[in-house]
Amino acid sequence: MKSLKIQLLVTTLITLSFFACNSSIQNNIPGTYINRASSEFSIAFDTLIVEHNKGNDYLIHRKTGVQIIDNTGKAGKMLYETEELMGSYNEDSKILIETRKGREISFDIKKGLLMLEKGVFKRIN
């Protein structure tokens, strides 16, 4: 009888810790993430602001600034773009799926990183 109680207690603790880990990932998703990328043709600054909407749904506000580099190597005027995205968090894969284009957004919570396609964004808050 004691071993059954111990098994029940262990199973309950494992289940609770599993749910705590999942909710801890989701609790740490909202925030502001930045990325800077450059090539011989341009310099880009990206900001993603991720907000929890409800349930597993998130709003993602993307703000991008791009400078085109001319033939002399000089950066031109900053051009700005904004994009409003929605995503749904998949608890099994731990990936946020952007709903319009199906892009996958993954997170490394310990390092404060968000990965979107080939871009790696650093969390700043």
Side-chain angles (χ1 to χ4, degrees), residues 80-103:
Y80 296 97
E81 295 179 11
T82 62
E83 186 178 15
E84 300 296 319
L85 309 167
M86 295 193 67
S88 183
Y89 183 74
N90 182 310
E91 293 180 7
D92 294 330
S93 65
K94 297 186 178 17
I95 292 176
L96 184 64
I97 306 294
E98 186 265 324
T99 54
R100 191 173 36 153
K101 296 181 181 176
R103 295 180 283 191

Side-chain angles (χ1 to χ4, degrees), residues 52-71:
H52 183 250
N53 188 19
K54 61 182 177 181
N56 288 340
D57 296 334
Y58 290 82
L59 301 173
I60 306 157
H61 310 279
R62 186 174 192 168
K63 299 176 182 181
T64 304
V66 177
Q67 288 180 295
I68 305 299
I69 299 173
D70 66 18
N71 293 339

Side-chain angles (χ1 to χ4, degrees), residues 4 9 37 48 95 104 109-110 112 117:
L4 182 60
L9 178 63
L48 296 178
I95 292 176
E104 295 183 352
I109 299 300
K110 290 181 181 179
E117 297 175 321

Side-chain angles (χ1 to χ4, degrees), residues 11 19 23-24 31 43 64 66 72 74 76 95 111 119 122 124:
T11 303
F19 285 117
S23 65
S24 121
I43 303 169
T64 304
V66 177
T72 65
K74 184 177 177 184
I95 292 176
K111 294 181 180 178
K122 179 71 177 163
I124 59 170

Side-chain angles (χ1 to χ4, degrees), residues 12-78:
T12 303
L13 290 174
I14 290 171
T15 303
L16 288 174
S17 67
F18 174 76
F19 285 117
C21 288
N22 278 345
S23 65
S24 121
I25 290 172
Q26 280 192 271
N27 290 338
N28 287 300
I29 288 175
T32 302
Y33 300 83
I34 59 171
N35 173 286
R36 180 186 184 282
S38 62
S39 70
E40 62 182 293
F41 304 110
S42 66
I43 303 169
F45 302 89
D46 261 337
T47 301
L48 296 178
I49 301 168
V50 181
E51 298 177 8
H52 183 250
N53 188 19
K54 61 182 177 181
N56 288 340
D57 296 334
Y58 290 82
L59 301 173
I60 306 157
H61 310 279
R62 186 174 192 168
K63 299 176 182 181
T64 304
V66 177
Q67 288 180 295
I68 305 299
I69 299 173
D70 66 18
N71 293 339
T72 65
K74 184 177 177 184
K77 181 179 176 183
M78 184 73 77

